[in-house]
Amino acid sequence: MNKILFVFLLLFCLSGFAQTIDISEARIYTSISDKQVLRRSVEILQQEVKKRSRLDWPLFNKLPSDGKPYVGIALESDLSALPTKVRDEIRKLPAIAAEGFKLLVMPDTKAVFIVGKDARGILYGVGRLLRKMEMSHTLVTVPTTLVLATSPKYPVRGHQLGYRPKTNAYDAFTVEQFDQYIRELALFGANSIEILPPRTDDDATSRHMKLPAIKMIAEQARICKEYGLDVWMWYPNMGSNYTHPDSIQKELKERHEIFSTVSQLDNVFVPGGDPGDLEPDVMFAWLGKMAVVLKKYHPKAKIWVSPQVFRPTKKWFDAFYSHINRNYPWFGGVVFGPWVKMPVAEIRKVINPAIPIRHYPDITHNYSAQYPVPHWDLAYAMTLGRESINPRPHDEKMIHNALDEYGVGSISYSEGTNDDVNKFVWSDQDWNPDMPVIETLRDYARLFFGPEYQEPVAQGLVALENNLKGPLMTNESVSRTLMQWQTMENNASPELLQNPRFQMGLIRVYYDAYTRRRLMYETEVEQEAKDILERVRSGSSLATIQRAKTALEKAWKWPILPDYRRKCFALADSLYRSIGAQLTISKHGAMSGRGNFVDNIDIPLNDAPYLLDQLSKIEKLGNETERLQKIDQLLRRTDPGLGGFYDHFGSPESWHRVVSEVSWEKDPGSLQSPRIGFGVGLVGEEWVDEIKATGFKGQVTPRVWMKQAKTLYDQPLKIAYNELEPQSSYRMKISYTGRFRSRMKLTTDDGSVIHDFLQTGEQPIFEFDVPQKATADGKVTFIWNCGEGERGSQVTEIWLMKK
């Protein structure tokens, strides 16, 4: 399509939504002289308009009367400097509360008015105006229908921007980039930024850092102070001892250094664990000492804590909540975040009603997370990994609104720029949970891409989320999403092509399309190899094995879509240059499992690693009969025999057997319901960064072992079979794989014990007889429970074989 025609059609379509007035020659007028009220709000308006239109909007200290357009900025408490008609119209609008604003367009005078309840109201009014204006080269327009009065529903709205190597981009940010990013978050209603001390569960420095961490956090705090935002600090207990006087003094000395470095600090969040596990009595005694140091430098600052611990026990929680309810003078509130065992609604019941709860939502991770992508395809989990560019706008709204009523707002857990879209959606939901996601995305696209891309980008981001849903093999929307973004790409200006946010969308659509096509190709290759093995005859096993291995090797000897692959690497390089995004380890200096998803672009998506490993072992057997027998066993690994049942609980077709009494929409964190888990499990290791077909003692494993059903903590995992033969007896074979190495016990709904507590993570396969009485009515529900303090139960495969 001709580029000029493309832009014209887009503008024509957009113009149909609302009439606009041209305010390109606007001046800015404000009667506010107090710099503590204006802060940088006028500067933001001037600078952001100039970036997009190249127009200078001068600041006037007198109300314009020449009929030319202007933007008036005022406090609601002081409207006397505005024309009577304007005052009357503003007063007709609904009342606003703290941080709220009124926005009014007067078409007849080409004037726009921002009226804030307070200093932050001015800032957010400027932000909303910037979001709604259409700005292009030498042209700025505003809808004539832009009239609103709005206040935030929740008082805490922000994001964690940790300057440390574990993030996939923040450690490469300059001071200027942090300034711009914090500004942009504020335009969408954020009022809090959470920073990190130099010492956490991470390396002290990285090759990307432009400043030492101690200096950068001082800059982050300064930036927030200039914008009038709150500064929080996530400060885990990383010391070796919090009871010995010498260790305590060492820790207090560090707190003196850190707290004195930052010019503003409103709250400190200390997690109960992950990292820094402490017994509650020890932790609260220590926090009381830390509070004395905090008060010295920041007298009004409070300390918040979370019941965040990997291996919680009832004793731990009882002690924790006992301290919470003691009303310490330094205590600010409770934080509900990842790996908090108790649902937030239950926390609300056990703490005093006056104690606030702050959400700490994980909006950054795809799996092994607080809010993973539900029922994610294994091919995506292996390639996109735990951290990837992952716009999930509708999921984020669903998650936010399922739990928001129990808290005072949120400061999200973020590991970098991969969750960029999610941050803006989440902030808008904290401001107004009724805000339609598409409106946030339109604002995002209009502001960061340009008005002509408002609808294509907004819909393109929704399409990227849809790419992640359902089985990848049959998800035809992946191809359509690629075409949508390619149309934008082919018509984009050089400036847009270098826009990091545009590039983040592009790399995902090419990566998704490449991954899906590879999955289809490699699945067919695997089937070809199996067909060869099925035709093996006595005396030909070695030759047949060689032909099957040759077929499996086609996937990497004759790869497909090399142009898509090259495109992904080129975009990864460009993102590294522009925003420091670290999408590979060797080239970009990423940390493993922390955003380096481009490293996984060629990981096998079929069972070739396992089949090749098994075939190599079979080849070494000296007996032809034994080789034929092993080939048959390999092909029939999942065969439960006549009248039997086989299920893989990472597969959609088996999930109907998993009993779930609470929907994902009500329990997105799976604290009361099962979820999908990923990982095989290595002996002695509970955490593996990436999902690969290796596990236990390092052997190559079947692909299905990388995905399983699981529950968290002491929530039982229930799997039901309803079509058994009543008079038959069954033997049960189970594969226990996954990230958790829990001790688990298996019973049935009639009270029968299949096995008592056993340690998983040491071997994958177990076999047991099922008591006949448990299946006598043709039905049975298997129930797994893990021991107290364990991470959860997980089950990968079940064979129910008739005896």
Side-chain angles (χ1 to χ4, degrees), residues 674-694:
R675 63 162 61 171
I676 287 292
F678 294 99
V680 175
L682 294 172
V683 172
E685 294 186 40
E686 195 169 81
W687 177 259
V688 181
D689 285 332
E690 294 169 351
I691 302 170
K692 297 179 180 177
T694 55

Side-chain angles (χ1 to χ4, degrees), residues 158-280:
H159 304 280
Q160 187 183 90
L161 305 182
Y163 187 67
R164 60 172 178 165
K166 192 175 287 186
T167 64
N168 54 50
Y170 294 149
D171 60 332
F173 271 25
T174 62
V175 174
E176 292 73 23
Q177 284 176 308
F178 271 121
D179 188 305
Q180 183 63 31
Y181 203 46
I182 291 169
R183 171 187 294 193
E184 290 168 353
L185 293 172
L187 298 182
F188 282 72
N191 69 0
S192 303
I193 297 296
E194 190 162 74
I195 62 178
L196 274 60
R199 184 170 66 116
T200 64
D201 57 334
D202 205 345
D203 296 337
T205 188
S206 78
R207 78 188 209 195
H208 310 292
M209 287 184 167
K210 308 300 189 291
L211 289 178
I214 190 73
K215 292 187 177 180
M216 186 59 86
I217 64 172
E219 292 292 335
Q220 289 176 304
R222 174 191 60 78
I223 293 165
C224 291
K225 186 175 183 179
E226 291 178 358
Y227 285 126
L229 308 180
D230 286 350
V231 180
W232 290 63
M233 183 177 289
W234 179 78
Y235 210 137
N237 297 314
M238 298 305 299
S240 58
N241 189 310
Y242 285 90
T243 58
H244 193 280
D246 292 345
S247 299
I248 289 173
Q249 287 306 309
K250 181 180 178 181
E251 290 296 308
L252 289 174
K253 181 181 178 182
E254 179 184 289
R255 297 324 186 263
H256 275 285
E257 178 187 11
I258 301 305
F259 295 156
S260 65
T261 294
V262 293
S263 57
Q264 178 179 323
L265 188 56
D266 300 280
N267 294 282
V268 176
F269 161 32
V270 179
D274 187 23
D277 294 1
L278 291 178
E279 289 300 315

